[in-house]
Amino acid sequence: MKRRQKERYKPVHTPVLLDSVLSLLKQESIDSQAEFLFVDATLGEGGHAEALLLHYPGMMLYGVDADGEVLLRAQERLKLYKGRIRLFNEWFTDFFKNFRQRFKIRPSGILFDLGISMFHYEKSGRGFSFRKDEPLDMRIGKNIEQTAEDIINTYSQNELFELIKGYGEERMAKRITYAIIKERRAEPITKAHDLAGIIWKAVPPSYRYGSIHPATKTFQALRIAVNNELSRLKEGLREAFQVLEIGGRLGVISFHSLEDRIVKHFFKERNKSCTCPPDWPICQCERQRELKILTKKPLTASTDEIKRNPKARSAKLRVVEKLIA
Ligand SMILES: C[S@@+](CC[C@H](N)C(=O)[O-])C[C@H]1O[C@@H](n2cnc3c(N)ncnc32)[C@H](O)[C@@H]1O
């Protein structure tokens, strides 16, 4: 029994860009003993959180995850740090929106490590992996009515095409959409590996043996749509930046270009000072720079890290420091 319990909680996710997170997400003024609050907005199995707690003995950590199952795994992993952590099973948008009403302090550091974890692919049973015979669910949190199965079987041809093309950036979107529409006429598509099979057959043979499985992008698009990930990211960044203390640092690890574009744009906009036309003699907008960008180019994983953890190959970390309230 004890052994089974241990196996159940063995982490399956490897945290990415860990050294950069440890070194960049704290102000130089904070030494490792100083007391401060850190929010891990996407706790997952708690890989980054564990390393941060170990590295900064004075740190208090609030861990947030929309997925109650993965949060339990993090709780088990972090039980050594029981007195220094608080865990919240919430969407990060709600967490940050209500932060000021609930807590008196402000965090000195916030981390977003976007998307889903290996737990979701390997253990959740919710159809995130195209290799598994699981129901096409893909919901990571509460209050979501539409599953991936609903989308696949009810969206119009045009809606499906837009979704696969837009969120998946899939150049075979037309063929894939057509195949889905044709198959679902015969019977509803309900399983992840059935959908993967349909996609496999829909694309030309030359496309089947590339660097990624031909269903990867369609599955990514479905997950993004089911969980409304891009609007949550936009809102989450805005709310998180509001609660961050002045001098505090905000870091975001993204895994695909749509997310990275949102993060980059958010940081760039707040990095601007005066936005008056250049020929105006005096500034009228009185706009002040809200943040300092600490990573001119996003940080990416080393070849060594990618060898150890291939999922890290698309990870990009951007970090900023807040300048004004
Ligand atoms: C890449 S994993 C984080 C892995 C974690 N850093 C670790 O080292 O174990 C992302 C996590 O964020 C959660 N998540 C994704 N979007 C979320 C959102 N909008 N609000 C709260 N949690 C979210 C997912 O459930 C997942 O567990």
Side-chain angles (χ1 to χ4, degrees), residues 11 13-16 18 40-50 64-68 70-71 74 77 88-95 111-120 126 128 140-141 223 227-229 232-233 236 253 255:
H13 185 85
T14 309
V16 301
L18 191 53
D40 186 338
T42 50
L43 185 70
E45 287 192 315
H48 285 109
E50 183 178 47
V64 185
D65 205 293
D67 192 320
V70 85
L71 202 74
R77 181 185 201 159
F88 302 86
N89 180 205
E90 294 169 34
W91 292 103
F92 53 60
T93 36
D94 300 332
F95 176 79
L111 172 67
F112 288 86
D113 176 17
L114 300 171
I116 53 173
S117 78
M118 280 311 282
F119 156 79
H120 290 96
R126 283 176 248 156
F128 291 105
I140 59 176
R223 197 200 77 217
N227 297 291
N228 206 1
E229 289 180 25
R232 285 189 207 277
L233 173 60
I253 301 173
F255 290 85

Side-chain angles (χ1 to χ4, degrees), residues 5-260:
Q5 185 93 341
K6 255 194 188 156
E7 276 167 11
R8 210 176 128 213
Y9 287 111
K10 201 164 167 242
V12 287
H13 185 85
T14 309
V16 301
L17 299 169
L18 191 53
D19 290 342
S20 306
V21 166
L22 287 177
S23 60
L24 267 176
L25 276 164
K26 84 169 210 347
Q27 307 104 306
E28 273 137 35
S29 59
I30 293 181
D31 68 44
S32 64
Q33 304 294 324
E35 287 182 15
F36 66 100
L37 174 66
F38 191 94
V39 177
D40 186 338
T42 50
L43 185 70
E45 287 192 315
H48 285 109
E50 183 178 47
L52 283 157
L53 284 157
L54 189 69
H55 202 74
Y56 298 108
M59 186 182 91
M60 172 81 195
L61 182 126
Y62 289 179
V64 185
D65 205 293
D67 192 320
E69 262 186 73
V70 85
L71 202 74
L72 282 178
R73 296 172 71 89
Q75 189 175 31
E76 178 66 21
R77 181 185 201 159
L78 302 175
K79 63 180 180 216
L80 251 182
Y81 302 98
K82 216 163 143 205
R84 291 171 53 205
I85 59 170
R86 284 181 70 179
L87 305 185
F88 302 86
N89 180 205
E90 294 169 34
W91 292 103
F92 53 60
T93 36
D94 300 332
F95 176 79
F96 287 117
K97 211 180 285 169
N98 301 321
F99 192 94
R100 301 285 292 145
Q101 280 127 279
R102 282 158 92 182
F103 313 112
K104 290 210 173 72
I105 38 171
R106 285 176 180 267
S108 312
I110 299 176
L111 172 67
F112 288 86
D113 176 17
L114 300 171
I116 53 173
S117 78
M118 280 311 282
F119 156 79
H120 290 96
Y121 292 110
E122 299 300 331
K123 307 266 180 195
S124 74
R126 283 176 248 156
F128 291 105
S129 165
F130 42 73
R131 296 184 208 288
K132 299 208 181 238
D133 183 21
E134 293 171 354
L136 271 171
D137 184 314
M138 295 200 191
R139 288 172 295 181
I140 59 176
K142 294 176 269 191
N143 309 327
I144 293 184
E145 270 148 36
Q146 210 169 33
T147 63
E149 182 183 328
D150 296 331
I151 292 180
I152 281 292
N153 292 293
T154 63
Y155 269 31
S156 69
Q157 182 161 343
N158 199 37
E159 284 170 332
L160 261 186
F161 172 76
E162 292 294 333
L163 182 145
I164 298 170
K165 181 93 196 150
Y167 290 163
E169 298 181 309
E170 170 62 74
R171 65 186 171 91
M172 295 290 158
K174 208 167 172 183
R175 282 171 178 253
I176 293 172
T177 308
Y178 184 71
I180 292 171
I181 299 284
K182 195 168 150 232
E183 291 289 335
R184 81 183 192 191
R185 267 192 211 124
E187 64 180 314
I189 303 161
T190 60
K191 293 286 177 65
H193 88 321
D194 289 348
L195 176 61
I198 293 167
I199 296 170
W200 177 273
K201 276 194 263 156
V203 301
S206 58
Y207 198 65
R208 290 179 193 154
Y209 303 99
S211 60
I212 54 170
H213 187 286
T216 309
K217 292 180 172 181
T218 304
F219 271 61
Q220 170 193 296
L222 279 168
R223 197 200 77 217
I224 290 176
V226 166
N227 297 291
N228 206 1
E229 289 180 25
L230 300 183
S231 356
R232 285 189 207 277
L233 173 60
K234 282 183 200 157
E235 196 185 337
L237 285 176
R238 217 174 35 238
E239 300 288 346
F241 192 67
Q242 288 251 333
V243 309
L244 189 66
E245 73 170 9
I246 298 174
R249 298 205 172 165
L250 170 67
V252 188
I253 301 173
S254 63
F255 290 85
H256 56 82
S257 56
L258 296 177
E259 288 171 343
D260 186 53

